[in-house]
Amino acid sequence: MWLLILVTIFLLIVLTPYIIQSDFTVIEEQLVEGATIVLLFIVGYAVLSLYRKEVARNISKLNRLKQDKGALENRLTEAFKYIGAVNIQIQEIKTVFSEIRKFPENKKDFGHILHFLAGRTLNMVNSDWVLFRIINTKNLDTLGEHIETRGDSEPPKCKISNKILVSKKKLTESATVSSGHENFYIKTFCIIPKAELSDENNIFITAVVNQLEMLFLIFNSIYYKDTDFKKRNLSGP
């Protein structure tokens, strides 16, 4: 539309000498032609200015659309990554619950379960080692413990205090996830050498430690049904 207006004004400027005749007005013909051409030039310049502003406005909108498109593409990519991570997490949780098909009947069975859950946790979390510890929160005794390392990685050299774990104090170089049950004096912890865990990893490990705590209680109700299991240590063979 703007270009059509400009072309029309240009044609009027060119045709002005032929349109304006001396018998149309009492004013001198050349003066009228000059005034008309000047007026048409002013109108043309105004139209051209409006056209440029419209073009600049459209370019600005186009740039914003490109930015919005880039932001939407990034969000979509992040969403697909998140969905992929959630799918992996769901699959790992299914594996944790489906692969353990029988309750442990002896220390060897429970040791296999600890090894299996630790391995699954290492698959889910990129870390050099993972430590599971079951604690009696009344006397701070360690009822069970298992550490799994990745490849040739070394286990933690410093001793992690049960008192610190039970008090829920944050470790400086490790992340800790505990079981969610609060109405019993047994607590299961998972320690990983990472400053922070993602929400997906936190959900997965919470499911693992809750499962481990339940299996520990079932194991003790079967294996130690005639003894005081609170003083037993399952870290041995």
Side-chain angles (χ1 to χ4, degrees), residues 6-218:
L6 288 174
V7 171
T8 302
I9 292 174
F10 176 77
L11 291 175
L12 288 174
I13 292 174
V14 173
L15 297 175
T16 295
Y18 302 97
I19 296 174
I20 298 176
Q21 301 295 329
S22 59
D23 54 350
F24 284 179
T25 176
V26 296
I27 305 175
E28 187 177 348
E29 179 182 347
Q30 292 182 348
L31 181 61
V32 175
E33 290 177 357
T36 303
I37 292 174
V38 170
L39 180 61
L40 289 174
F41 268 114
I42 293 173
V43 173
Y45 180 79
V47 172
L48 182 61
S49 299
L50 292 174
Y51 172 72
R52 287 177 176 175
K53 289 181 179 179
E54 185 68 21
V55 170
R57 190 181 300 112
N58 290 334
I59 292 175
S60 178
K61 288 181 179 179
L62 182 62
N63 291 334
R64 285 199 301 270
L65 289 174
K66 288 181 179 179
Q67 292 177 356
D68 293 341
K69 179 185 176 183
L72 289 174
E73 288 177 349
N74 291 334
R75 291 179 183 177
L76 186 61
T77 302
E78 292 298 324
F80 279 124
K81 288 181 180 178
Y82 178 77
I83 292 171
V86 170
N87 287 337
I88 293 174
Q89 173 191 337
I90 292 173
Q91 186 61 40
E92 288 294 331
I93 291 177
K94 285 183 178 179
T95 303
V96 166
F97 285 97
S98 63
E99 290 294 324
I100 302 176
R101 299 182 179 179
K102 69 173 187 176
F103 297 129
E105 299 177 354
N106 50 53
K107 288 185 177 182
K108 185 177 180 181
D109 288 346
F110 195 78
H112 285 318
I113 289 175
L114 283 169
H115 175 72
F116 169 75
L117 293 178
R120 287 297 175 182
T121 303
L122 282 179
N123 288 340
M124 191 68 183
V125 183
N126 184 21
S127 62
D128 294 332
W129 54 265
V130 58
L131 171 65
F132 286 116
R133 183 179 295 174
I134 305 170
I135 300 174
N136 184 328
T137 58
K138 287 186 175 181
N139 54 26
L140 300 181
D141 284 348
T142 299
L143 303 176
E145 184 176 280
H146 179 80
I147 186 166
E148 193 85 12
T149 60
R150 188 189 303 276
D152 298 330
S153 301
E154 295 184 357
K157 297 180 180 179
C158 59
K159 179 69 175 178
I160 301 175
S161 168
N162 288 350
K163 184 177 181 180
I164 292 178
L165 292 176
V166 172
S167 65
K168 299 181 180 180
K169 290 183 180 179
K170 190 173 181 180
L171 302 177
T172 55
E173 297 181 356
S174 301
T176 305
V177 179
S178 63
S179 54
H181 306 101
E182 300 291 345
N183 59 343
F184 202 58
Y185 60 87
I186 288 177
K187 202 79 170 173
T188 305
F189 295 87
C190 176
I191 301 97
I192 294 177
K194 293 178 74 70
E196 292 183 0
L197 294 173
S198 66
D199 292 338
E200 294 79 16
N201 289 337
N202 199 22
I203 292 172
F204 172 78
I205 297 174
T206 300
V208 170
V209 293
N210 285 332
Q211 174 83 339
L212 178 59
E213 186 171 289
M214 181 193 69
L215 292 172
F216 174 79
L217 292 174
I218 294 173

